Amino acid sequence: MRFTHIICLAVMTALLLFALGCGNKRNPTGGATDTEKPVVLATYPAELEEIVDGTLEISFSKPMDRNSLANSIYIYPPVQNKKFSLERSSLKIKLNEPLKPDCNYYVTLSTRLKDLRGNPLAASQTLIYRSGKLSTARISGLLNYEIPSDEGSPIATSLFSEDSLLVFTTDLTGKSYAIENLNQMPYRLRSYIDKNQNGRYDPGTEPIFEAKTEGREKEVLDQYLAYVDTSFVWINSIDAVSNREIRIEFSEPVASYQQVLVASDKILDIKHKILENNILTLLTSAQD
């Protein structure tokens, strides 16, 4: 009997050790969640280079989700006949129609584009290519803030065509800016600070600036990022500095305006407009 008990005890001990050994061999569950956002690593052709055979290739840092392609990529000028194909981290865009000569083409990748883990692109961005000669129009100016502490925050800035198609998007910071390598054409510029990072402008809680450009090759457009203000702006004074220059002073800084007309017996041509905070300077044809 005693011998039998010893054998049973040895068998039970062996089974226990075996069970513990098997338990140690289990694969661990869980682990850190993948939250790394994908970024663009390279493109072919390189930015500002000429599009060859209507083909563009963009490489990302992570495999991307094919289902996120819809409504996440914008091309300007518009290309109706195009095809997207995605192989893991490589996106190929085939433009199957003749391109405009001596024209820049803008490919905007929005944060709707996601990787296989659902992480959105780190930031919306516009890649620039050319068909023929590179266009080098430029919009630049100062960045002014209603609240000084807003300086340093990223400013989500977009350029739209006259028919409201997205052309270019970027983030600006600091006291001045320059957007280069543009086609020479009128634009509508829109900038705001996305304070709650929800990807859209929220009236009243975020500063914004909107204005139209005139389509010159070198455009100066100062921005004033202001919160919604329900008070009216009035004109303090109008001074004729010379027979070709008029200075208008407003009651407070002006973010944008729709139209200005100067007339005597006829409407004068306005050659140039400069808006600096609450001062609008007009350079006109010869006045009476």
Side-chain angles (χ1 to χ4, degrees):
M1 290 290 293
R2 186 175 178 185
F3 181 75
T4 304
H5 287 164
I6 293 173
I7 293 176
C8 290
L9 181 62
V11 171
M12 292 175 64
T13 303
L15 289 174
L16 179 61
L17 291 175
F18 180 80
L20 290 174
C22 290
N24 288 338
K25 291 181 180 179
R26 281 185 187 172
N27 292 327
T29 59
T33 303
D34 180 5
T35 59
E36 182 183 355
K37 296 182 178 181
V39 297
V40 173
L41 295 180
T43 77
Y44 176 82
E47 278 203 83
L48 306 184
E49 294 297 321
E50 187 161 13
I51 300 172
V52 179
D53 297 329
T55 299
L56 299 170
E57 294 184 24
I58 303 171
S59 297
F60 298 93
S61 59
K62 302 175 69 180
M64 305 301 288
D65 183 5
R66 187 185 313 277
N67 295 323
S68 70
L69 287 177
N71 301 317
S72 65
I73 302 174
Y74 306 91
I75 299 176
Y76 191 89
V79 177
Q80 300 300 324
N81 188 358
K82 58 184 179 290
K83 181 180 179 181
F84 299 98
S85 57
L86 179 64
E87 292 295 334
R88 293 188 60 78
S89 60
S90 179
L91 172 66
K92 186 174 181 180
I93 305 174
K94 184 65 175 177
L95 309 178
N96 297 314
E97 64 184 52
L99 303 182
K100 295 183 178 182
D102 297 333
C103 179
N104 292 0
Y105 276 78
Y106 304 89
V107 178
T108 297
L109 308 173
S110 76
T111 51
R112 295 188 189 93
L113 192 61
K114 299 179 180 181
D115 67 14
L116 292 176
R117 296 287 185 177
N119 299 305
L121 201 64
S124 295
Q125 67 184 104
T126 299
L127 306 172
I128 307 175
Y129 306 95
R130 61 184 172 89
S131 170
K133 183 180 178 181
L134 181 70
S135 296
T136 57
R138 183 176 190 263
I139 301 172
S140 62
L142 301 176
L143 295 171
N144 304 292
Y145 304 85
E146 180 180 353
I147 298 179
S149 60
D150 284 339
E151 183 180 334
S153 300
I155 303 170
T157 299
S158 298
L159 289 177
F160 299 89
S161 64
E162 288 188 300
D163 50 357
S164 298
L165 296 177
L166 179 64
V167 178
F168 188 95
T169 187
T170 188
D171 282 345
L172 305 175
T173 55
K175 296 183 178 180
S176 63
Y177 76 99
I179 303 175
E180 301 179 308
N181 300 310
L182 298 173
N183 292 320
Q184 189 174 338
M185 55 181 273
Y187 294 98
R188 179 169 62 87
L189 182 145
R190 185 174 190 263
S191 295
Y192 71 97
I193 296 178
D194 188 7
K195 290 199 164 187
N196 58 9
Q197 297 184 351
N198 65 353
R200 65 174 184 269
Y201 166 64
D202 296 308
T205 61
E206 297 173 340
I208 190 171
F209 173 83
E210 289 191 73
K212 292 182 179 180
T213 70
E214 298 182 0
R216 294 188 297 269
E217 184 176 1
K218 304 297 179 185
E219 188 106 15
V220 176
L221 179 62
D222 293 338
Q223 300 189 40
Y224 184 81
L225 287 111
Y227 295 79
V228 173
D229 187 355
T230 57
S231 63
F232 290 100
V233 177
W234 62 87
I235 295 175
N236 280 340
S237 63
I238 301 177
D239 297 317
V241 180
S242 69
N243 72 331
R244 292 182 180 273
E245 181 178 345
I246 297 174
R247 183 179 182 273
I248 304 173
E249 180 181 336
F250 298 100
S251 60
E252 62 183 89
V254 175
S256 64
Y257 55 89
Q258 294 297 319
Q259 189 178 30
V260 177
L261 295 177
V262 179
S264 53
D265 57 337
K266 63 178 182 179
I267 295 177
L268 298 178
D269 291 332
I270 298 177
K271 305 294 185 182
H272 192 55
K273 298 188 287 286
I274 304 172
L275 179 62
E276 297 178 332
N277 293 323
N278 67 323
I279 303 296
L280 177 61
T281 301
L282 306 176
L283 303 181
T284 71
S285 55
Q287 308 158 19
D288 292 343

